Amino acid sequence: MSLVEAHGLGRMFAARRPFRKPVLIAAVNGVDLAIERGETLAIVGESGCGKSTLGRLLLGLLPASAGSVRFDGADLAALSAPGLRQLRSRMQIVFQNTLAALDPRMPVGRQIAEPLAIHGETQQGLRHAETERLMRDVGLDTALMERRPHELSGGQRQRVVIARALATRPSFVVFDEPVSALDVSVQAQIIALIRKLQASSGFASAFISHDLRVVRHVADRVAVMYLGRIVEEGPVAEVFRNPAHPYTRALIGAVPQIRPGMKAKRQRLAGEPANPSQMPSGCAFHPRCPAAMPVCAKASPGLADISAGRAAACHLLTDPQSAIPQFA
Ligand code: SF4
């Protein structure tokens, strides 16, 4: 049994439109995935592809419109409120915007200690000692304990947020673009910190990012999302070395320096993702796909195994029999 399992997971939102009825759009659509204990799954894709919504669904922070999420075998939707609260101590999230994630008036030490109090640590002395340990673990000077968030740098604030997330010793953490707002040099430090903490604490994670250069350094496997669906999944080194889905190829081609030996010429991904309220028929990527065939506008390809440990959703790769006759 995997630590986190999603089956047919979906989430609809009502999108408001001026002078017209709201329209339902699928931010996440039919996602199946599994995350093993101690493993990092990167979830990548362009802005608006549904990766942050997927992260919240995996934690039960958003109710699913379809499908299910199981954490350590427990169906999140079937849990009572106290049951979900208890499970929450084992699942945490780290956001990109640290100023929004932290209380501007509260000393950071108290914010790190807060989850300990919420989850039952009644002794202030023990909370203080644990807060000092957490601060040291994330590379923060304990002398900063009484500072307010605005008195710290962006990198220090992200360390505070990570320390607070780890206070309850979670077994699963969602990192939602945790370094996107930081300078490149600070990004590298925070990535190294996440890797070190994961090695010492053994938590599993979902690492959400639009930046493939970052993902390469943190993830074991990668799931590529396009308009709410996973279109390719596999071990990160293999997917980067030999991307199978045309969308993954385009994403990786746009940052050639992440593939050793690849020609330095930068490729541009043509066009923009479709408006989710006007989803293309068939494969949602077909209006932008350089390999599109007639069948692609008619039938949506499912995610299917293409080799050991790898899956993709593309007629070219998974359904050649139905694709090939369309050329005739
Ligand atoms: Fe391109 Fe067709 Fe594959 Fe979609 S199914 S990625 S349009 S070849």
Side-chain angles (χ1 to χ4, degrees), residues 14-179:
R16 293 182 197 286
R17 300 180 296 174
F19 311 116
R20 292 159 76 192
K21 278 187 183 167
V23 62
L24 278 180
I25 61 167
V28 172
N29 193 354
V31 164
D32 295 315
L33 61 77
I35 302 175
E36 308 300 328
R37 283 154 225 280
E39 179 183 56
T40 294
L41 174 71
I43 301 172
V44 304
E46 291 165 287
S47 174
C49 71
K51 50 193 191 300
S52 290
T53 303
L54 176 57
R56 282 156 182 74
L57 288 169
L58 294 179
L59 294 172
L61 295 174
L62 273 178
S65 310
S68 64
V69 178
R70 287 186 173 275
F71 180 80
D72 215 359
D75 182 345
L76 297 189
L79 287 171
S80 62
L84 189 57
R85 217 171 17 252
Q86 200 176 18
L87 212 60
R88 282 256 165 78
S89 68
R90 297 180 57 200
M91 304 185 287
Q92 296 291 336
I93 186 163
V94 171
F95 294 105
Q96 170 186 357
N97 186 343
T98 55
L99 279 174
L102 296 168
D103 184 332
R105 293 154 303 177
M106 193 188 285
V108 295
R110 269 178 55 202
Q111 302 199 53
I112 294 171
E114 215 174 22
L116 299 168
I118 290 170
H119 291 287
E121 181 50 77
T122 53
Q123 293 191 41
Q124 196 186 351
L126 288 179
R127 287 203 303 268
H128 186 84
E130 187 63 2
T131 301
E132 286 191 331
R133 182 191 70 77
L134 285 160
M135 290 184 76
R136 282 194 294 272
D137 279 359
V138 299
L140 281 173
D141 189 335
T142 54
L144 299 175
M145 201 178 280
E146 294 303 321
R147 300 272 180 90
R148 305 293 192 278
H150 72 272
E151 297 176 289
L152 304 184
S153 69
Q156 286 173 325
R157 280 198 301 273
Q158 194 54 288
R159 288 173 194 265
V160 169
V161 171
I162 292 171
R164 189 177 63 175
L166 299 187
T168 56
R169 300 178 191 265
S171 39
F172 178 51
V173 182
V174 171
F175 292 95
D176 190 357
E177 302 273 10
V179 298

Side-chain angles (χ1 to χ4, degrees), residues 45-46 49 224-232 243-254 267-276 278-301 312-317:
E46 291 165 287
C49 71
V224 181
M225 284 189 81
Y226 188 75
L227 287 175
R229 291 179 182 270
I230 292 178
V231 296
E232 181 162 5
H245 192 282
Y247 178 60
T248 316
R249 298 181 78 86
L251 273 186
I252 291 175
Q267 299 168 13
R268 281 190 66 82
L269 182 55
E272 297 289 328
N275 182 336
Q278 294 162 348
M279 198 68 95
S281 60
C283 171
F285 187 56
H286 86 260
R288 305 170 79 188
C289 180
M293 306 166 287
V295 67
C296 302
K298 295 178 189 149
S300 174
C314 173
H315 292 304
L316 274 178
L317 304 163

